[in-house]
């Protein structure tokens, strides 16, 4: 398996399946771990950094944690391929653009990505389509156990797992759920939902950038507190309390739109489709924004000529790095917009 | 008896601070003034990173305290303030006082880990973690007046303590 082979696929987590997948795009859990007898990356020398990289990649690739995984040495990877990994949510932008010895191991189905030498020595992450946090916890915890048999992780009886930044100390867990909330945005209830989540010490971010003006109505909800609660308690807040509630609000808002303003709703959907299928040049952000009402419409059964899986493929393949990889060469901004519009027309236009 | 805020001389002082570095002093402030002084950070709608930045700024401003260095990696409190990242796991011991305060603010008042313990950790570490978890469960059961459950948890604590 190579990055070139990954690019034309959408990966397991964008399959559009799983619990509450009409609103929950994907869930992710990551654990931060550091080797006990090595300096953190802020003070590690280049040699120490390389040793940490070797030590971790050896342990991962020689156990069930990643014996079948694709190991990407990011330092030796070109910019476009790094950007493909960011667009696929397999590595953080910080990791892609960072310095020094670093990498990621990716499972064949792309549900597991272990980042080496990001902010901590190791970040074990698993991601899936829909709300599947319990299964994800079982997976990351299992990988953690497997690796802990070979490696000693920095652990303190008071503070728990020790991390480079004290905001991650304790469990080292970060639970993130990506939600699609177009109806709450349209009915202007999104701010209230975001406030309620923040009152529960959760962070709410637009998928790209800050604030509640999220691109494509995609919002990421994640925990900020990692200490003083068990992993199960932290996960439970998402899977039992906050996410089902937000999903219910979003569904109610969708029903209400369909009932009280069906013409406005359909107008929004079909205008979006009209632009996507006719544009001669279009940017990636506009594409994402226009795909949002169509995603909602598919789930509301008001738009039946496309599947969610097909829409997810469009969403991913119109992003800059994927578009260029699939086109077979690097393109300047203006040229990209033209190729993107051509791609969308070829995929969306009804056959003559 | 209720104290008036030393700064605005109007609102009731609800935040009481005793500084020992650089000089011993006591402060009694209302919540708004305490936030303006940078001694507390109101929890609402602030990201953990902002809390971290404000807290280390306040602490590292304290002259000599910023020069405190970790004997293992050599990182100082001031460098930690600049980078926002620690130099090695021993920093948690070297800067324990500062970090405990910081961690408490960033983690809703928590100062102790109650989650997963490495499978290979020593028996004492596992026992310690188990006790912490049970004591918290006991406290919650008592708060919810679930005395039957509390009694069961108490028995579990006693059993674990006698091991």
């Amino acid at each position: 398996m190579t990055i070139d082979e990954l690019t034309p696929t959408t990966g397991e987590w964008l399959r559009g399946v799983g619990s509450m997948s009409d609103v929950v795009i994907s869930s992710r859990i990551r654990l931060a771990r550091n080797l006990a007898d090595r300096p953190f990356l802020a003070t590690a020398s280049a040699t120490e950094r390389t040793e940490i990289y070797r030590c971790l990649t050896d342990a991962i690739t020689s156990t069930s944690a990643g014996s079948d995984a694709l190991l990407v040495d990011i330092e030796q990877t070109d910019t476009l391929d790094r950007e493909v990994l960011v667009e696929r949510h397999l590595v953080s932008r910080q990791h892609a653009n960072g310095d020094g010895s670093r990498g990621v191991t990716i499972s064949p189905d792309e549900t597991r990505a272990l980042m080496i030498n990001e902010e901590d020595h190791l970040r074990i992450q698993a991601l899936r389509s829909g709300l599947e946090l319990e299964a994800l916890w079982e997976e990351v915890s299992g990988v953690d156990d497997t690796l802990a048999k070979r490696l000693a992780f920095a652990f303190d009886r008071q503070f728990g797992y020790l991390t480079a930044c004290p905001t991650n100390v304790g469990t080292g867990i970060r639970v993130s759920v990506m939600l699609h909330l177009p109806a709450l945005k349209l009915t202007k209830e999104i701010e209230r939902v975001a406030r309620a989540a923040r009152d529960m010490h959760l962070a709410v971010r637009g998928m790209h950038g800050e604030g509640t003006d999220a691109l494509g109505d995609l919002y990421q909800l994640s925990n900020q507190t990692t200490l003083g609660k068990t992993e199960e308690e932290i996960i439970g807040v998402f899977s039992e309390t906050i996410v089902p509630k937000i999903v219910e609000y979003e569904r109610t808002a969708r029903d209400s739109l369909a009932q009280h303003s069906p013409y406005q709703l359909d107008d929004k959907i079909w205008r979006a489709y009209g632009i996507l299928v006719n544009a001669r040049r279009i940017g990636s952000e506009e594409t994402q924004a226009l795909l949002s009402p169509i995603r909602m419409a598919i789930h509301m059964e008001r738009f039946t000529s496309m599947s969610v899986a097909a829409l997810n493929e469009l969403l991913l393949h119109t992003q800059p790095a994927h578009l260029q990889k699939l086109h077979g060469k690097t393109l300047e901004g203006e040229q990209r917009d033209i190729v993107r519009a051509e791609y969308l027309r070829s995929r969306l236009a009804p056959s003559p | 008896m209720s104290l008036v805020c030393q700064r605005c001389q109007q609102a009731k002082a609800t935040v009481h601070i005793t500084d020992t570095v650089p000089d011993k002093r006591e402060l009694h402030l209302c919540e708004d003034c305490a936030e303006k002084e940078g001694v507390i950070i109101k929890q609402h709608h602030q990201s953990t990173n902002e809390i971290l930045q404000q807290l280390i700024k306040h602490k590292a401003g304290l002259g000599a305290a910023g020069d405190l260095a970790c004997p293992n990696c050599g990182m100082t409190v001031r460098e930690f303030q600049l980078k926002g990242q620690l130099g090695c796991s021993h920093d948690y011991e070297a800067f324990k006082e500062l970090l405990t305060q910081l961690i408490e603010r960033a983690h809703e008042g928590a100062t102790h880990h109650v989650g997963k313990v490495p499978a290979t950790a020593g028996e004492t570490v596992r026992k310690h973690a188990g006790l912490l978890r049970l004591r918290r469960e006991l406290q919650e059961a008592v708060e919810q007046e679930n005395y039957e459950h509390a009694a069961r948890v108490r028995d579990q604590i006693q059993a674990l303590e006698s091991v």
Side-chain angles (χ1 to χ4, degrees):
Chain A
M1 189 175 64
T2 62
I3 295 177
D4 285 348
E5 285 164 21
L6 284 181
T7 313
T9 69
T10 51
E12 163 76 21
W13 69 278
L14 268 176
R15 278 206 304 149
V17 296
S19 174
M20 303 186 200
S21 60
D22 54 330
V23 180
V24 182
I25 307 281
S26 62
S27 1
R28 176 207 326 240
I29 296 185
R30 74 114 169 96
L31 294 178
R33 297 288 185 260
N34 288 281
L35 297 173
D37 47 357
R38 311 273 181 163
F40 289 162
L41 297 167
T43 55
S45 66
T47 318
E48 285 168 327
R49 206 182 158 102
T50 307
E51 279 169 16
I52 295 164
Y53 179 79
R54 282 215 197 96
C55 174
L56 282 165
T57 48
D58 280 355
I60 294 164
T61 54
S62 61
T63 59
S64 61
S67 51
D68 56 351
L70 164 69
L71 168 64
V72 182
D73 180 340
I74 296 185
E75 206 183 4
Q76 305 298 328
T77 301
D78 72 44
T79 320
L80 196 58
D81 280 352
R82 289 180 195 179
E83 205 51 38
V84 164
L85 298 178
V86 176
E87 288 175 1
R88 298 179 87 82
H89 294 192
L90 294 167
V91 305
S92 60
R93 174 146 279 123
Q94 179 193 349
H95 198 45
N97 301 342
D99 286 311
S101 196
R102 66 199 190 283
V104 61
T105 64
I106 302 163
S107 68
D109 62 2
E110 284 187 79
T111 58
R112 186 188 294 179
L114 278 60
M115 285 194 282
I116 302 139
N117 286 351
E118 199 233 30
E119 182 180 295
D120 292 296
H121 295 160
L122 178 64
R123 291 201 158 172
I124 304 167
Q125 35 168 20
L127 58 164
R128 285 191 197 195
S129 170
L131 184 68
E132 301 293 341
L133 293 173
E134 277 71 20
L136 288 174
W137 167 237
E138 206 171 297
E139 180 170 356
V140 291
S141 186
V143 172
D144 179 39
D145 290 341
T146 302
L147 294 174
K149 282 183 194 132
R150 311 219 356 180
L151 307 162
F153 291 133
F155 184 86
D156 175 82
R157 55 192 279 173
Q158 178 181 345
F159 292 128
Y161 289 95
L162 302 177
T163 50
C165 182
T167 51
N168 296 319
V169 82
T171 55
I173 199 172
R174 186 77 71 228
V175 178
S176 308
V177 176
M178 200 205 289
L179 301 159
H180 183 231
L181 307 174
L184 288 173
K185 181 75 196 300
L186 278 174
T187 57
K188 300 189 166 60
E189 291 168 277
I190 192 76
E191 202 41 69
R192 204 162 49 89
V193 169
R195 212 175 307 131
R198 288 186 186 123
D199 284 342
M200 297 180 76
H201 300 277
L202 303 177
V204 185
R205 284 187 206 92
M207 189 176 140
H208 298 281
E210 293 293 311
T212 43
D213 209 26
L215 191 56
D217 306 314
L218 294 170
Y219 296 85
Q220 187 168 289
L221 199 66
S222 54
N223 66 302
Q224 303 220 62
T225 308
T226 54
L227 184 75
K229 295 176 194 158
T230 64
E231 291 83 351
E232 287 83 357
E233 287 170 320
I234 292 169
I235 292 164
V237 169
F238 286 83
S239 56
E240 281 150 37
T241 315
I242 187 96
V243 176
K245 207 163 264 174
I246 297 178
V247 168
E248 194 190 307
Y249 288 153
E250 170 65 22
R251 284 175 181 163
T252 308
R254 288 181 190 182
D255 288 348
S256 157
L257 285 171
Q259 209 184 341
H260 301 295
S261 28
Y263 287 98
Q264 280 114 301
L265 182 60
D266 284 337
D267 188 59
K268 195 169 171 67
I269 296 161
W270 288 98
R271 276 172 187 270
Y273 180 73
I275 295 173
L276 288 169
V277 80
N278 286 300
R280 282 347 192 219
R281 31 177 282 214
I282 189 166
S284 116
E285 297 197 352
E286 186 181 3
T287 307
Q288 290 190 52
L290 293 171
L291 286 171
S292 172
I294 296 180
R295 178 188 298 278
M296 170 169 68
I298 296 171
H299 287 297
M300 293 173 79
E301 292 170 358
R302 292 179 97 84
F303 189 94
T304 49
S305 53
M306 202 196 309
S307 67
V308 177
L311 181 132
N312 282 338
E313 195 178 303
L314 290 182
L315 186 76
L316 187 65
H317 289 171
T318 54
Q319 291 186 39
H322 277 80
L323 190 77
Q324 294 175 75
K325 284 286 280 189
L326 294 170
H327 192 69
K329 61 176 182 200
T330 55
L331 302 162
E332 293 307 310
E334 170 78 12
Q335 198 59 35
R336 274 209 298 269
D337 290 354
I338 295 167
V339 169
R340 183 176 293 111
E342 279 167 3
Y343 171 79
L344 284 166
R345 287 205 306 282
S346 75
R347 299 297 299 274
L348 290 173
S351 24
Chain B
M1 187 197 77
S2 83
L3 274 167
V4 173
C5 172
Q6 289 174 351
R7 193 169 176 273
C8 66
Q9 302 288 338
Q10 281 168 8
K12 190 179 154 192
T14 53
V15 181
H16 310 282
I17 305 132
T18 310
D19 268 355
T20 51
V21 185
D23 300 303
K24 193 166 161 53
R25 61 163 185 171
E26 271 186 42
L27 272 175
H28 305 280
L29 302 170
C30 69
E31 213 169 272
D32 285 343
C33 290
E35 195 183 27
K36 281 177 200 143
E37 288 281 333
V39 291
I40 65 157
I41 284 103
K42 283 197 183 174
Q43 286 291 336
H44 53 255
H45 304 177
Q46 232 184 351
S47 79
T48 312
N49 255 338
E50 286 167 337
I51 297 174
L52 173 77
Q53 282 307 322
Q54 286 189 18
L55 220 124
I56 46 191
K57 234 175 249 165
H58 172 67
K59 281 288 160 191
L62 296 177
D67 295 327
L68 182 65
C70 168
N72 185 60
C73 71
M75 179 172 267
T76 64
V77 168
R78 197 164 282 117
E79 283 168 341
F80 167 54
Q81 176 204 358
L82 286 172
K83 291 185 180 171
Q85 287 184 24
L86 295 164
C88 74
S89 56
H90 299 273
D91 292 2
Y92 280 94
E93 192 55 47
F95 311 150
K96 191 162 189 174
E97 199 185 333
L98 165 76
L99 287 178
T100 304
Q101 289 182 49
L102 199 154
I103 284 167
E104 206 175 343
R105 297 268 166 83
H107 297 278
E108 296 173 60
T111 52
H112 286 76
H113 176 62
V114 292
K116 186 174 177 177
V117 170
T120 46
E123 204 48 49
T124 45
V125 174
R126 303 188 65 76
K127 179 177 161 183
H128 177 78
L131 279 172
L132 270 177
R133 190 160 36 226
L134 287 170
R135 288 199 190 107
R136 207 168 49 108
E137 204 176 322
L138 176 64
Q139 195 185 343
E140 272 168 23
V142 172
E143 275 164 16
Q144 290 163 6
E145 301 186 5
N146 186 351
Y147 298 115
E148 247 176 77
H149 182 60
R152 271 199 305 275
V153 176
R154 183 203 55 207
D155 293 345
Q156 284 175 13
I157 292 173
Q158 284 170 353
L160 190 58
E161 276 172 340
S162 64
V163 173

